[in-house]
Amino acid sequence: MSELSQRYEQWNIKELKRINEKSVIVFDERSGEIMIKKRVDTDNLPVMQKLCLIRHKNLSAVLKVTQEDGDYFSYSEFVSGRSIQNLIDSGTIFDEKEAVRIISEVCDGLEVLHKNGVIHRDITASNIILSYDGNVKIIDYGISRLPKHNASRDTYILGTAGYAAPEQFGFAQSDEKTDLYSVGVLLNVMLTGAFPSEKLYPGKLGKVISRCTAIDSEKRYKTVKEVKSAIRGKKEKNKSAKGFPGFRTKNKIIRAAAVILYATILFFEIAFAWVVYSNAGLLHMIIQIILSVVIFALIIFMIFDPNNILSKSKLASSVSEQSLTTIKVVVSTFLILFGFLSTVFLC
């Protein structure tokens, strides 16, 4: 963006309310948007620029980053609602069902950040907004960062007391598990009004919280998806396994059974094509065999995602797990219909 166009945009920005010395609520008279304008430190600039490219229903959007009179500023979506901290301060203690729903959506937002290499590092009751339309939003990326693979520990001690993981105080390098620690603290605060060190919530959720907030990060869950599954009482499927069904295990009996099954399917495909297309000619028969095998392989790929290609794609990052499942079902149905129509046509 040129300096002239940036200055033109600044003329349309009107200050509504100052939050602190770095942040202010502003109104864009041209677009009608209410935004949070925040001064960005140069160390935080790369992550803010990356956040401009990320959109998800559980993340407050960073709309743009500008340079104004030598300083950098981010303009973020203003989320109309109440923070969890505000609700707790007013005497709210969440029941398990509502707490699990909210934390699940926090996990969905964090999963997108982590897939894009962003660590939030400040998941607190103040930074989770329950919008008036019922949505859950993560806000404030002021101390977010990109991983520093060559560093052994964090250079700067940053984070909110009570929520910050030990590694944020210079003991080790913060990573995705740092956010898991804060999620565990947040869940406990929502259920009890206190930090885990003061009063740990009992039962199954208490065990989840304990694991999230383990001092040794290696003892925590590996991903936010595992945390989400744990609080919802579901076992996380092993999606790190690769290959088609039957070949994801080292069990020789299962692998042998898979070979027999796939060979049987292939045999019946060839037999069917031979019976139906033998009179139509060899070319028709070969085309139908290839087409049937390709369609079958694509359907297996859509449903099982053998090499985790779909789960790591930009599509998976931009939609919910339920929406992705719906897309898989629709595409698989289309492939089956296409295979049927091609059979009728070639006949």
Side-chain angles (χ1 to χ4, degrees), residues 61-118:
V62 178
L63 305 172
K64 59 183 176 180
V65 176
T66 64
Q67 186 175 17
E68 303 170 16
D69 299 323
D71 293 321
Y72 291 98
F73 295 88
S74 66
Y75 288 81
S76 301
E77 170 191 6
F78 174 77
V79 182
S80 181
R82 297 179 70 183
S83 71
I84 290 178
Q85 187 63 57
N86 181 267
L87 291 167
I88 291 173
D89 289 343
S90 64
T92 300
I93 296 296
F94 295 84
D95 59 38
E96 284 194 5
K97 183 178 180 181
E98 183 65 0
V100 166
R101 181 190 74 82
I102 292 169
I103 293 297
S104 293
E105 294 197 43
V106 171
C107 287
D108 288 342
L110 282 175
E111 184 179 2
V112 173
L113 289 181
H114 293 173
K115 282 184 177 180
N116 284 275
V118 177

Side-chain angles (χ1 to χ4, degrees), residues 19-31:
I19 302 172
N20 52 47
E21 60 179 14
K22 277 191 172 185
S23 304
V24 60
I25 302 175
V26 298
F27 176 71
D28 189 333
E29 292 183 327
R30 186 182 59 174
S31 66

Side-chain angles (χ1 to χ4, degrees), residues 52 113 143 149 168 204 224 278 327-328:
C52 288
L113 289 181
I143 62 171
H149 300 291
Q168 289 179 259
K204 292 182 179 179
V224 287
S278 58
I327 293 171
K328 288 180 179 181

